[in-house]
PDB file of all heavy atoms in Angstrom:
ATOM      1  N   TYR A 426     131.628-182.186  88.572  1.00 87.00           N
ATOM      2  CA  TYR A 426     132.946-182.065  87.963  1.00 87.00           C
ATOM      3  C   TYR A 426     134.032-182.241  89.010  1.00 87.00           C
ATOM      4  O   TYR A 426     134.987-182.994  88.817  1.00 87.00           O
ATOM      5  CB  TYR A 426     133.061-180.694  87.279  1.00 87.00           C
ATOM      6  CG  TYR A 426     134.394-180.487  86.611  1.00 87.00           C
ATOM      7  CD1 TYR A 426     134.796-181.305  85.558  1.00 87.00           C
ATOM      8  CD2 TYR A 426     135.257-179.477  87.032  1.00 87.00           C
ATOM      9  CE1 TYR A 426     136.010-181.124  84.939  1.00 87.00           C
ATOM     10  CE2 TYR A 426     136.474-179.281  86.427  1.00 87.00           C
ATOM     11  CZ  TYR A 426     136.857-180.106  85.375  1.00 87.00           C
ATOM     12  OH  TYR A 426     138.070-179.936  84.775  1.00 87.00           O
ATOM     13  N   VAL A 455     134.663-186.149  80.272  1.00 78.00           N
ATOM     14  CA  VAL A 455     135.368-185.871  81.529  1.00 78.00           C
ATOM     15  C   VAL A 455     135.328-184.386  81.865  1.00 78.00           C
ATOM     16  O   VAL A 455     135.073-183.994  82.996  1.00 78.00           O
ATOM     17  CB  VAL A 455     136.828-186.386  81.424  1.00 78.00           C
ATOM     18  CG1 VAL A 455     137.641-185.924  82.633  1.00 78.00           C
ATOM     19  CG2 VAL A 455     136.850-187.899  81.320  1.00 78.00           C
ATOM     20  N   ASN A 570     117.821-150.830  83.398  1.00 85.00           N
ATOM     21  CA  ASN A 570     118.298-149.466  83.226  1.00 85.00           C
ATOM     22  C   ASN A 570     118.282-148.700  84.549  1.00 85.00           C
ATOM     23  O   ASN A 570     119.239-148.026  84.920  1.00 85.00           O
ATOM     24  CB  ASN A 570     117.401-148.771  82.200  1.00 85.00           C
ATOM     25  CG  ASN A 570     117.900-147.386  81.862  1.00 85.00           C
ATOM     26  OD1 ASN A 570     117.531-146.432  82.530  1.00 85.00           O
ATOM     27  ND2 ASN A 570     118.762-147.292  80.874  1.00 85.00           N
ATOM     28  N   ARG A 571     117.182-148.848  85.305  1.00 87.00           N
ATOM     29  CA  ARG A 571     117.070-148.155  86.584  1.00 87.00           C
ATOM     30  C   ARG A 571     118.108-148.681  87.573  1.00 87.00           C
ATOM     31  O   ARG A 571     118.743-147.927  88.294  1.00 87.00           O
ATOM     32  CB  ARG A 571     115.674-148.334  87.174  1.00 87.00           C
ATOM     33  CG  ARG A 571     114.550-147.755  86.331  1.00 87.00           C
ATOM     34  CD  ARG A 571     114.726-146.256  86.183  1.00 87.00           C
ATOM     35  NE  ARG A 571     113.600-145.597  85.540  1.00 87.00           N
ATOM     36  CZ  ARG A 571     113.405-145.529  84.222  1.00 87.00           C
ATOM     37  NH1 ARG A 571     114.256-146.115  83.391  1.00 87.00           N
ATOM     38  NH2 ARG A 571     112.383-144.880  83.720  1.00 87.00           N
ATOM     39  N   MET A 573     120.977-150.168  86.950  1.00 90.00           N
ATOM     40  CA  MET A 573     122.342-149.780  86.592  1.00 90.00           C
ATOM     41  C   MET A 573     122.580-148.301  86.882  1.00 90.00           C
ATOM     42  O   MET A 573     123.670-147.909  87.301  1.00 90.00           O
ATOM     43  CB  MET A 573     122.602-150.105  85.122  1.00 90.00           C
ATOM     44  CG  MET A 573     122.728-151.600  84.894  1.00 90.00           C
ATOM     45  SD  MET A 573     122.865-152.012  83.160  1.00 90.00           S
ATOM     46  CE  MET A 573     124.568-151.573  82.853  1.00 90.00           C
ATOM     47  N   VAL A 576     123.262-148.081  90.602  1.00 92.00           N
ATOM     48  CA  VAL A 576     124.604-148.557  90.967  1.00 92.00           C
ATOM     49  C   VAL A 576     125.645-147.546  90.487  1.00 92.00           C
ATOM     50  O   VAL A 576     126.519-147.124  91.234  1.00 92.00           O
ATOM     51  CB  VAL A 576     124.872-149.950  90.356  1.00 92.00           C
ATOM     52  CG1 VAL A 576     126.318-150.356  90.569  1.00 92.00           C
ATOM     53  CG2 VAL A 576     123.932-150.971  90.957  1.00 92.00           C
ATOM     54  N   THR A 596     111.011-143.669  96.425  1.00 78.00           N
ATOM     55  CA  THR A 596     110.997-143.161  95.059  1.00 78.00           C
ATOM     56  C   THR A 596     110.611-144.255  94.072  1.00 78.00           C
ATOM     57  O   THR A 596     110.053-143.960  93.025  1.00 78.00           O
ATOM     58  CB  THR A 596     112.357-142.570  94.656  1.00 78.00           C
ATOM     59  OG1 THR A 596     113.360-143.543  94.886  1.00 78.00           O
ATOM     60  CG2 THR A 596     112.650-141.330  95.443  1.00 78.00           C
ATOM     61  N   HIS A 598     112.007-146.101  91.888  1.00 82.00           N
ATOM     62  CA  HIS A 598     112.480-146.208  90.505  1.00 82.00           C
ATOM     63  C   HIS A 598     112.953-147.619  90.214  1.00 82.00           C
ATOM     64  O   HIS A 598     112.744-148.136  89.132  1.00 82.00           O
ATOM     65  CB  HIS A 598     113.622-145.227  90.255  1.00 82.00           C
ATOM     66  CG  HIS A 598     113.195-143.800  90.298  1.00 82.00           C
ATOM     67  ND1 HIS A 598     112.358-143.267  89.352  1.00 82.00           N
ATOM     68  CD2 HIS A 598     113.446-142.824  91.184  1.00 82.00           C
ATOM     69  CE1 HIS A 598     112.130-142.004  89.651  1.00 82.00           C
ATOM     70  NE2 HIS A 598     112.779-141.704  90.760  1.00 82.00           N
ATOM     71  N   PHE A 617     131.511-147.195  95.245  1.00 95.00           N
ATOM     72  CA  PHE A 617     132.435-148.247  94.825  1.00 95.00           C
ATOM     73  C   PHE A 617     133.087-148.908  96.035  1.00 95.00           C
ATOM     74  O   PHE A 617     133.270-150.123  96.064  1.00 95.00           O
ATOM     75  CB  PHE A 617     133.496-147.644  93.903  1.00 95.00           C
ATOM     76  CG  PHE A 617     134.562-148.621  93.525  1.00 95.00           C
ATOM     77  CD1 PHE A 617     134.286-149.664  92.651  1.00 95.00           C
ATOM     78  CD2 PHE A 617     135.836-148.516  94.056  1.00 95.00           C
ATOM     79  CE1 PHE A 617     135.260-150.581  92.308  1.00 95.00           C
ATOM     80  CE2 PHE A 617     136.816-149.426  93.718  1.00 95.00           C
ATOM     81  CZ  PHE A 617     136.532-150.455  92.848  1.00 95.00           C
ATOM     82  N   SER A 620     130.456-151.380  97.418  1.00 95.00           N
ATOM     83  CA  SER A 620     130.086-152.507  96.561  1.00 95.00           C
ATOM     84  C   SER A 620     131.271-153.433  96.321  1.00 95.00           C
ATOM     85  O   SER A 620     131.104-154.658  96.253  1.00 95.00           O
ATOM     86  CB  SER A 620     129.462-152.025  95.248  1.00 95.00           C
ATOM     87  OG  SER A 620     130.094-150.882  94.767  1.00 95.00           O
ATOM     88  N   THR A 662     126.603-164.445  91.316  1.00 92.00           N
ATOM     89  CA  THR A 662     126.852-164.102  89.919  1.00 92.00           C
ATOM     90  C   THR A 662     125.597-163.528  89.268  1.00 92.00           C
ATOM     91  O   THR A 662     125.651-162.488  88.613  1.00 92.00           O
ATOM     92  CB  THR A 662     127.294-165.362  89.149  1.00 92.00           C
ATOM     93  OG1 THR A 662     128.393-165.936  89.839  1.00 92.00           O
ATOM     94  CG2 THR A 662     127.697-165.012  87.730  1.00 92.00           C
ATOM     95  N   ILE A 669     124.370-155.043  87.449  1.00 89.00           N
ATOM     96  CA  ILE A 669     125.404-154.307  86.703  1.00 89.00           C
ATOM     97  C   ILE A 669     125.347-154.642  85.219  1.00 89.00           C
ATOM     98  O   ILE A 669     126.267-154.354  84.470  1.00 89.00           O
ATOM     99  CB  ILE A 669     126.821-154.602  87.274  1.00 89.00           C
ATOM    100  CG1 ILE A 669     127.152-156.091  87.231  1.00 89.00           C
ATOM    101  CG2 ILE A 669     126.949-154.083  88.690  1.00 89.00           C
ATOM    102  CD1 ILE A 669     128.560-156.423  87.696  1.00 89.00           C
TER     103      ILE A 669
ATOM    104  N   ARG B 240     141.150-180.162  90.116  1.00 84.00           N
ATOM    105  CA  ARG B 240     139.904-179.561  89.610  1.00 84.00           C
ATOM    106  C   ARG B 240     139.403-178.428  90.497  1.00 84.00           C
ATOM    107  O   ARG B 240     138.674-177.555  90.028  1.00 84.00           O
ATOM    108  CB  ARG B 240     138.828-180.626  89.482  1.00 84.00           C
ATOM    109  CG  ARG B 240     139.184-181.602  88.386  1.00 84.00           C
ATOM    110  CD  ARG B 240     138.022-182.462  88.031  1.00 84.00           C
ATOM    111  NE  ARG B 240     138.343-183.275  86.878  1.00 84.00           N
ATOM    112  CZ  ARG B 240     137.508-184.134  86.347  1.00 84.00           C
ATOM    113  NH1 ARG B 240     136.316-184.297  86.881  1.00 84.00           N
ATOM    114  NH2 ARG B 240     137.859-184.832  85.305  1.00 84.00           N
ATOM    115  N   ILE B 243     140.367-175.284  88.943  1.00 83.00           N
ATOM    116  CA  ILE B 243     139.530-174.847  87.809  1.00 83.00           C
ATOM    117  C   ILE B 243     138.276-174.155  88.328  1.00 83.00           C
ATOM    118  O   ILE B 243     137.880-173.091  87.840  1.00 83.00           O
ATOM    119  CB  ILE B 243     139.182-176.049  86.907  1.00 83.00           C
ATOM    120  CG1 ILE B 243     140.461-176.523  86.204  1.00 83.00           C
ATOM    121  CG2 ILE B 243     138.116-175.681  85.885  1.00 83.00           C
ATOM    122  CD1 ILE B 243     140.297-177.732  85.326  1.00 83.00           C
ATOM    123  N   PHE B 247     137.045-170.156  87.994  1.00 85.00           N
ATOM    124  CA  PHE B 247     135.752-169.580  87.590  1.00 85.00           C
ATOM    125  C   PHE B 247     135.286-168.519  88.578  1.00 85.00           C
ATOM    126  O   PHE B 247     134.828-167.433  88.190  1.00 85.00           O
ATOM    127  CB  PHE B 247     134.675-170.680  87.486  1.00 85.00           C
ATOM    128  CG  PHE B 247     134.769-171.487  86.225  1.00 85.00           C
ATOM    129  CD1 PHE B 247     134.784-172.873  86.268  1.00 85.00           C
ATOM    130  CD2 PHE B 247     134.837-170.862  84.988  1.00 85.00           C
ATOM    131  CE1 PHE B 247     134.864-173.619  85.103  1.00 85.00           C
ATOM    132  CE2 PHE B 247     134.909-171.614  83.817  1.00 85.00           C
ATOM    133  CZ  PHE B 247     134.931-172.995  83.879  1.00 85.00           C
ATOM    134  N   TYR B 255     133.539-158.701  87.656  1.00 93.00           N
ATOM    135  CA  TYR B 255     132.570-157.815  88.290  1.00 93.00           C
ATOM    136  C   TYR B 255     133.261-156.618  88.931  1.00 93.00           C
ATOM    137  O   TYR B 255     132.746-155.508  88.925  1.00 93.00           O
ATOM    138  CB  TYR B 255     131.740-158.571  89.344  1.00 93.00           C
ATOM    139  CG  TYR B 255     130.631-159.413  88.755  1.00 93.00           C
ATOM    140  CD1 TYR B 255     130.648-159.767  87.405  1.00 93.00           C
ATOM    141  CD2 TYR B 255     129.568-159.859  89.533  1.00 93.00           C
ATOM    142  CE1 TYR B 255     129.645-160.544  86.857  1.00 93.00           C
ATOM    143  CE2 TYR B 255     128.546-160.638  88.991  1.00 93.00           C
ATOM    144  CZ  TYR B 255     128.598-160.981  87.651  1.00 93.00           C
ATOM    145  OH  TYR B 255     127.604-161.731  87.110  1.00 93.00           O
ATOM    146  N   ARG B 258     133.990-154.261  86.277  1.00 90.00           N
ATOM    147  CA  ARG B 258     132.724-153.674  85.836  1.00 90.00           C
ATOM    148  C   ARG B 258     132.289-152.567  86.809  1.00 90.00           C
ATOM    149  O   ARG B 258     131.824-151.504  86.386  1.00 90.00           O
ATOM    150  CB  ARG B 258     131.658-154.765  85.756  1.00 90.00           C
ATOM    151  CG  ARG B 258     130.272-154.261  85.430  1.00 90.00           C
ATOM    152  CD  ARG B 258     130.185-153.670  84.046  1.00 90.00           C
ATOM    153  NE  ARG B 258     128.805-153.473  83.632  1.00 90.00           N
ATOM    154  CZ  ARG B 258     128.438-152.912  82.491  1.00 90.00           C
ATOM    155  NH1 ARG B 258     129.358-152.473  81.655  1.00 90.00           N
ATOM    156  NH2 ARG B 258     127.170-152.782  82.187  1.00 90.00           N
ATOM    157  N   GLN B 263     131.037-147.192  88.188  1.00 92.00           N
ATOM    158  CA  GLN B 263     130.935-146.218  89.277  1.00 92.00           C
ATOM    159  C   GLN B 263     132.016-145.145  89.240  1.00 92.00           C
ATOM    160  O   GLN B 263     131.829-144.072  89.793  1.00 92.00           O
ATOM    161  CB  GLN B 263     130.976-146.952  90.622  1.00 92.00           C
ATOM    162  CG  GLN B 263     129.784-147.881  90.805  1.00 92.00           C
ATOM    163  CD  GLN B 263     129.742-148.510  92.172  1.00 92.00           C
ATOM    164  OE1 GLN B 263     130.712-149.122  92.599  1.00 92.00           O
ATOM    165  NE2 GLN B 263     128.625-148.384  92.850  1.00 92.00           N
ATOM    166  N   ARG B 272     122.181-140.478  83.973  1.00 86.00           N
ATOM    167  CA  ARG B 272     120.915-141.200  83.833  1.00 86.00           C
ATOM    168  C   ARG B 272     120.152-141.184  85.161  1.00 86.00           C
ATOM    169  O   ARG B 272     118.938-140.989  85.188  1.00 86.00           O
ATOM    170  CB  ARG B 272     121.219-142.633  83.384  1.00 86.00           C
ATOM    171  CG  ARG B 272     119.998-143.503  83.225  1.00 86.00           C
ATOM    172  CD  ARG B 272     119.184-143.116  82.008  1.00 86.00           C
ATOM    173  NE  ARG B 272     117.961-143.884  81.943  1.00 86.00           N
ATOM    174  CZ  ARG B 272     116.782-143.375  81.640  1.00 86.00           C
ATOM    175  NH1 ARG B 272     116.667-142.107  81.360  1.00 86.00           N
ATOM    176  NH2 ARG B 272     115.723-144.130  81.585  1.00 86.00           N
ATOM    177  N   ILE B 276     116.512-139.663  85.946  1.00 82.00           N
ATOM    178  CA  ILE B 276     115.435-140.482  86.489  1.00 82.00           C
ATOM    179  C   ILE B 276     114.880-139.875  87.769  1.00 82.00           C
ATOM    180  O   ILE B 276     113.676-139.786  87.956  1.00 82.00           O
ATOM    181  CB  ILE B 276     115.954-141.908  86.785  1.00 82.00           C
ATOM    182  CG1 ILE B 276     116.275-142.643  85.508  1.00 82.00           C
ATOM    183  CG2 ILE B 276     114.934-142.694  87.599  1.00 82.00           C
ATOM    184  CD1 ILE B 276     117.052-143.922  85.738  1.00 82.00           C
ATOM    185  N   LYS B 455     112.290-137.053  92.756  1.00 79.00           N
ATOM    186  CA  LYS B 455     110.962-137.495  92.331  1.00 79.00           C
ATOM    187  C   LYS B 455     110.893-139.014  92.344  1.00 79.00           C
ATOM    188  O   LYS B 455     111.904-139.710  92.252  1.00 79.00           O
ATOM    189  CB  LYS B 455     110.635-136.947  90.952  1.00 79.00           C
ATOM    190  CG  LYS B 455     111.505-137.524  89.850  1.00 79.00           C
ATOM    191  CD  LYS B 455     111.028-137.079  88.490  1.00 79.00           C
ATOM    192  CE  LYS B 455     111.887-137.713  87.414  1.00 79.00           C
ATOM    193  NZ  LYS B 455     111.590-137.250  86.074  1.00 79.00           N
ATOM    194  N   SER B 456     109.674-139.494  92.437  1.00 77.00           N
ATOM    195  CA  SER B 456     109.476-140.935  92.449  1.00 77.00           C
ATOM    196  C   SER B 456     109.186-141.405  91.034  1.00 77.00           C
ATOM    197  O   SER B 456     109.054-140.614  90.117  1.00 77.00           O
ATOM    198  CB  SER B 456     108.309-141.281  93.355  1.00 77.00           C
ATOM    199  OG  SER B 456     107.122-140.917  92.714  1.00 77.00           O
ATOM    200  N   ALA B 457     109.092-142.726  90.881  1.00 74.00           N
ATOM    201  CA  ALA B 457     108.807-143.285  89.565  1.00 74.00           C
ATOM    202  C   ALA B 457     107.453-142.816  89.053  1.00 74.00           C
ATOM    203  O   ALA B 457     107.202-142.793  87.867  1.00 74.00           O
ATOM    204  CB  ALA B 457     108.856-144.806  89.629  1.00 74.00           C
TER     205      ALA B 457
END
Side-chain angles (χ1 to χ4, degrees):
Chain A
Y426 180 63
V455 172
N570 185 271
R571 298 298 188 278
M573 288 174 77
V576 172
T596 54
H598 292 293
F617 175 71
S620 38
T662 306
I669 58 176
Chain B
R240 292 193 173 180
I243 291 178
F247 282 129
Y255 281 18
R258 175 65 167 177
Q263 296 185 306
R272 179 72 185 137
I276 291 168
K455 67 173 182 185
S456 74

